[in-house]
Amino acid sequence: MVVTETIVISRDQPSVYAAFADIAGWTRILPDVQTVELLYWDGYNQEFRMTVERPGGPETIRGIRYCRPCSSLELFHPVPPPGVKRMAGQWTFKERAGLTTVVATRTFQLCDDELDGLGAEREAAFAEILRQALRTNLSRFKNALERHAEDHATSPALS
Amino acid sequence: VSAPATESRLFEGRCNESIVVRTSRARAFAALHRVEDWPARLPHVLAIDVLYDDGQYQEFLMDVRSDGGPIRVRSVRNCRLDTFQIEFFQPDPPAFLRHHAGGWQFYATGPDRCMIVAYHMWNLEPDVAAARFPPTDGRSTEQEVESLLRNHSLLALQSWQKILEEAA
């Protein structure tokens, strides 16, 4: 199943891309991200381990990203979240008139033992949780990026 | 034909080799995609342990025969059937490399002809590389490493040519 969420951020495309690409900086933007360990990074291929706070306790996932400045980030999880067999997706970035549109897409498949006759319902429920998480995270990036721009715009007057 | 421009500018070293094989592009791609079959097909591949494979993305451990004894490498691959490209990187590269990535590209050059391109991209771990491949008269450490990876590409391409054409 595919889940997509979109947001418009009033910052230039390179700045928006850089915030999403800087996986180590996610701890400053997303409060539920506890730690990020960058395992490999050559500027294009990226491997990381991320621990996220969840209602049931901390959850650690490992991710691989392909970073294409400043147009897209492609992602998959060789160690997906519990109960998920496949989790992949991407973020795309497009700027127009100083506004950057970010489209976050995720494709997922639940583990077979999660689908015991209730496949469609469980998939739909998981998709809704994922959609909400994408929406929340995109909003947090937007807030961080736009607040950062405001801070910089006002700082000369304060000095 | 060469490594993708966007990615290759991130690496100080790169090389590519190609070969034309009497087979279809789909068969060539499938043979390089089905990594679990490699030990039965490639004599230098001793074992494959697939850690993840969803059809597009793969992560596996590969035991390879080498002059110094078997070595184990971990490879992460993005296999794009829509563009007939396979990208890979080694998250734990050999000590003389800081980064190592590359890929395979497949081009139909006739009804039953496929050009396979193998490319490598890397950044050296300078001190380790210099100790392992000391400069000699007329050849730098960088050239020695390039020669090693270029030979790997050529050997792999020649092996796949033999396998695919014998099976045809």
Side-chain angles (χ1 to χ4, degrees), chain A residues 41 44 47 62 74 86, chain B residues 54 57 59 74 87 99:
Chain A
W41 170 234
Y44 174 62
E47 182 184 35
R62 186 161 59 88
E74 183 180 343
R86 182 181 195 268
Chain B
D54 64 17
Y57 304 109
E59 181 186 32
R74 181 163 66 100
E87 298 176 314
H99 305 125

Side-chain angles (χ1 to χ4, degrees), chain A residues 15-45:
Chain A
S15 299
V16 175
Y17 172 86
F20 281 86
D22 176 22
I23 196 88
W26 282 30
T27 53
R28 295 191 297 272
I29 296 172
L30 303 177
D32 56 339
V33 175
Q34 295 180 333
T35 60
V36 176
E37 194 183 348
L38 195 54
L39 304 173
Y40 177 93
W41 170 234
D42 60 27
Y44 174 62
N45 304 286

Side-chain angles (χ1 to χ4, degrees), chain B residues 27-71:
Chain B
R27 280 193 64 240
F29 181 91
L32 275 91
H33 183 213
R34 280 199 303 268
V35 69
E36 65 274 16
D37 293 347
W38 288 8
R41 308 189 86 176
L42 294 165
H44 67 283
V45 176
L46 302 172
I48 294 281
D49 182 6
V50 177
L51 305 175
Y52 180 86
D53 185 355
D54 64 17
Q56 179 181 352
Y57 304 109
Q58 299 174 330
E59 181 186 32
F60 56 87
L61 300 173
M62 178 168 59
D63 292 340
V64 186
R65 201 189 306 275
S66 79
D67 293 341
I71 54 170

